Amino acid sequence: MIEDFPMQQIINEDGEIVDADALNDISTEKVKSFYYKMLCARMLDKKCVNLQRQGKIGTYVPYEGQEAAQIGSAVALEEGDWIFPTYRDHAATLTFGHSMRNLLLNWRGRPEGNVPPEGVNIFPPGIPIASQLLHATGAAWAEKKHGSDRVSLVYFGDGATSEGDFHEALNFGSVFNIPTIFFNQNNGYAISVPMERQMKTKTIAQKGLAYDMDCLRIDGNDVLAVFAATKASVDRARANQGPTLIEAVTWRYGAHTTADDASKYRDQNESETRRETTDPLLRVQRYLQTQNTWNEDWLKTIEEEITDEIETAIAEMEAYPEPDLRQLFDYVYDRPTWTIQEQVNQHLAVQGEE
Amino acid sequence: MVSPAVNTKKMTMIEGVRNAMDEMLKENEDVIILGEDIGVNGGVFRATEGLHEKYGEDRIIDTPISESGIIGNSIGLAANGFRPIAEIQFLGFIYPGFNQLMTHATRLRQRSLGRFTVPVVVRAPYGAGVKAPEIHSDSVESLFTHMPGIKVVVPSNAYDAKGLLIASIDDPDPVMFLEPLRCYRSNRTEVPDGKYTIDIGRASVLKQGDDISVFTWGAMVMDTMKAIETLEEEQNMSCEVIDLRTLYPLDKETISASVQKTGRAAIIHEAPATGGVSNDVISLINDTSFLYLRAPIQRVTGFDTPVPVYSLEQEYLPSAAKIQAAIVNAVNF
Ligand SMILES: Cc1ncc(C[n+]2csc(CCOP(=O)(O)OP(=O)(O)O)c2C)c(N)n1
Ligand SMILES: [Mg+2]
């Protein structure tokens, strides 16, 4: 079956062009803008790991290594579309218009972290594995019923394909011809469990066949392949041609979270090797170098620009006002029930107004 | 109880849990563990650390991410001779498995008039206060006490955890074994070597007292003991503290005897007030000891809200000030 699902690439690990036709549609400026976004995501991720070590944020979920998958897919969407991330997809949400400050506040245990800017349709991260897939089909179904051509894109991992919700969402998507892109990031592991123990199939893409759905497998570390495949799927969904399952094959360099020790279940040398081979940023750099459009000064400039942006966002996060108790009580219902109202009053009577 | 001849070791609660499983795996080939990341990784809280190497992957089974699969398969395995321990990584992720628990595990015995039974233990860490991400921290023990057909156990220390877990694995019926996250590594108790059991359905009187009976369980045991320590120092009163340990079935004798002695009661729990297990304790006191009461029964609980993100979770958890105020209210009523 794996032969039926070759891993599609546009540029390979060495930055060489594999699919020249596909590349024709993507300008060098666009490639550079992808690089910029990936670099920004990577620098932010590294920073967050440090912030966690310094105790400035709580347990953090790194995505380093998966930038191409997240960014290549998010840039293929347009205003008014919807995305449904997991806890690991903040490179995607940032790309789709989440504010960096709010994204950081999420890791500081602040509810504002779940709130995207007005008009940007990003759901709070799906934490119970695979549950968000059904929200994505529901929201896109609503778009379709409203007669719009907006679509939804939902992120999920290899491990998520074992939950019933995954299969139920694919089935709904397929039965009702819902404009959803099921974007799987196959990073090889679900915490400690490798793909081979999670499933018998060699690909995730083939699971779409059971639902008679368009399905494909791409090199998730090739941002151009990710962009092109997602864009084509989005176009089909907009044209009412139904959902697509995309398996983006990728790798997380780090541990599952900052609370996890990856060396307990895998050889971390593999990550080190991959940094030199399959890395999503390095390959774009190599490609631009072969095109003679890579420039170290440019890199320096954008690194400085990104550093400023990140430092500003961190300063805003740190200066953010203390959490307000009202956030705990005032948003459970449209209007607090008498039970909650009484509990607030009793709470304040003992604890005092802070 | 511990006989003097048995060696003991100081353990954290997570070590007690592991030690119990180790004893039972050693004793009975039919005991197996199913769960996510419990194999080479030893569980995300290390409850099964070392067990994979010792007992092999046929008995310590890393499953796909599927709570319905874990619990549903445990039912089939149990009905056909095994003694599965199903680990749910966090209680907040048990909901895909709810169908299996509510419609099958709890009633297979009754539906088949005893022909098929479900000796499964479902273990899950739970509770707030460890700065976990969202959804990881709710205390929903009463969702299970409200399921007829399953017993509900909540240890708060290593000694109880080991004895109760062994009893749960030996139990012929399904047991929900809830492990308060905050207790995993926050205290150590002496734990005897080898096999011993603590009866399911027996509370533990942690401290004798005359003025009020304070009932609690799980992580709130630590907070309650601390709150009471300062209260007793500052005010001239003596509190009896009872760790219920089993939430279904409740220990009717211990609860009623204590209230009949003190004439007052307070119940402390992390879970929301509405539908909380405190309500069952109040009913039990009402049924057995109403005429002994000298004050309304007090409750200190979480709010009727989801547990918030971690920057607000300390506000959510019952504070020492609230526990003390409730006790003072009752005693000075
Ligand atoms: C329903 C449910 N079960 C278990 C968990 C605990 N958990 C968190 S992440 C994770 C692994 C998910 O792996 P995968 O889907 O491959 O995504 P990745 O973390 O690799 O991005 C597990 C088991 C959960 N969050 N939700
Ligand atoms: Mg994964």
Side-chain angles (χ1 to χ4, degrees), chain A residues 241-272:
Chain A
Q241 288 165 21
T244 306
L245 171 62
I246 299 176
E247 173 186 359
V249 180
T250 181
W251 185 262
R252 74 165 146 81
Y253 288 144
H256 171 68
T257 69
T258 50
D260 172 55
D261 173 9
S263 69
K264 285 206 78 130
Y265 52 81
R266 73 181 192 191
D267 180 0
Q268 278 296 83
N269 281 332
E270 168 134 22
S271 285
E272 293 318 307

Side-chain angles (χ1 to χ4, degrees), chain A residues 58 107-111 114 127 159 162-163 190-192 197-198 264-265 325 328-329 340 343 347 351 354, chain B residues 37 41 46 49 57 64-67 89 93 134 136 273 303-305 308-312 315 319 321-322:
Chain A
W107 299 108
R108 205 164 160 91
R110 301 296 298 269
N114 284 336
I127 294 175
S162 297
E163 289 281 10
I191 309 187
S192 69
R197 295 221 49 150
Q198 189 73 235
K264 285 206 78 130
Y265 52 81
L325 196 60
L328 168 52
F329 298 110
I340 293 181
Q343 289 169 7
H347 178 76
Q351 303 293 142
E354 258 115 294
Chain B
D37 305 287
N41 198 43
R46 307 291 177 242
E49 185 142 86
E57 62 179 30
I65 305 176
S66 166
E67 292 71 19
Q89 204 163 80
F93 304 136
E134 292 174 281
H136 291 65
F303 307 116
D304 283 7
T305 71
V309 284
Y310 80 73
S311 61
L312 283 162
E315 300 281 353
S319 63
K322 284 184 192 169

Side-chain angles (χ1 to χ4, degrees), chain A residues 66 87-88 156-160 185-191 193 252 256:
Chain A
Q66 302 183 207
Y87 45 83
R88 201 187 299 286
F156 57 102
D158 39 289
Q185 287 174 83
N186 179 358
N187 64 5
Y189 278 83
I191 309 187
V193 177
R252 74 165 146 81
H256 171 68

Side-chain angles (χ1 to χ4, degrees), chain B residues 250-252 255-256 280-289:
Chain B
L250 287 171
D251 184 346
K252 185 173 171 181
I255 296 171
S256 54
D280 290 319
V281 179
I282 292 172
S283 292
L284 192 154
I285 296 171
N286 184 62
D287 293 348
T288 59
S289 318

